[in-house]
Amino acid sequence: QVQLVESGGGLVQPGGSLRLSCACSDSIFRFYTMAWYRQVPGKQRELVAALTSGGTTMYADSVKGRFTISRDNAKNTLYLQMNSLKPQDTAVYSCNTDFARFSWGQGTQVTVSS
C-alpha cells in the first residue's frame, strides 16, 4: 500500500513563507499527476495545486502567483512552496494523486496568524 507523509507545516505570520514536502513510499509516484489539497474544519477538501508527470501545473485561483508546486521523482517527493501567505490559507494540507488514488496521509497543519 502506497503511503504518503506530509511535513513542513507550522505557524507563520501573514506575508511569510513555508515549504511543504510530501514523501511517497513507492516510485510509482512518478507516473501520476500529484496534487496538494487543503481542508479546514467543516469544509470540503479543496485542490490547491496539481502537477502532471510531464510537468504541467494547475493552481486554484486563490493561490495562483503565490504557491509553486514541484516534484523530485528521484526522491519520490512532492513540494509546495507557499509565499505571501494569508490567514485564509490556514488549513491542513495533504497530498495525493489528482483522483485521490492513494490512502491519505496525516497531513500537515499550516496556520497563518499574527
Side-chain angles (χ1 to χ4, degrees):
Q1 184 176 356
V2 177
Q3 293 184 324
L4 300 167
V5 179
E6 300 91 349
S7 62
L11 173 63
V12 63
Q13 292 187 341
S17 298
L18 283 174
R19 188 192 194 205
L20 306 183
S21 298
C22 168
C24 181
S25 63
D26 196 311
S27 60
I28 198 172
F29 161 92
R30 69 189 64 192
F31 299 114
Y32 284 97
T33 292
M34 294 299 297
W36 283 99
Y37 300 79
R38 66 186 180 188
Q39 188 171 25
V40 296
K43 291 191 175 181
Q44 277 194 324
R45 183 181 280 123
E46 67 167 329
L47 192 150
V48 173
L51 174 59
T52 70
S53 58
T56 301
T57 57
M58 185 282 294
Y59 296 95
D61 287 344
S62 59
V63 306
K64 204 170 291 184
R66 300 187 297 121
F67 290 10
T68 303
I69 188 171
S70 62
R71 66 197 297 166
D72 185 337
N73 288 335
K75 296 182 178 180
N76 297 338
T77 302
L78 184 73
Y79 302 101
L80 186 67
Q81 178 67 43
M82 306 187 296
N83 298 329
S84 302
L85 282 162
K86 304 175 180 180
Q88 52 264 46
D89 294 319
T90 295
V92 175
Y93 285 71
S94 301
C95 67
N96 211 313
T97 72
D98 52 346
F99 291 101
R101 295 177 187 270
F102 302 149
S103 297
W104 291 98
Q106 82 288 352
T108 186
Q109 175 72 47
V110 172
T111 303
V112 185
S113 175
S114 55

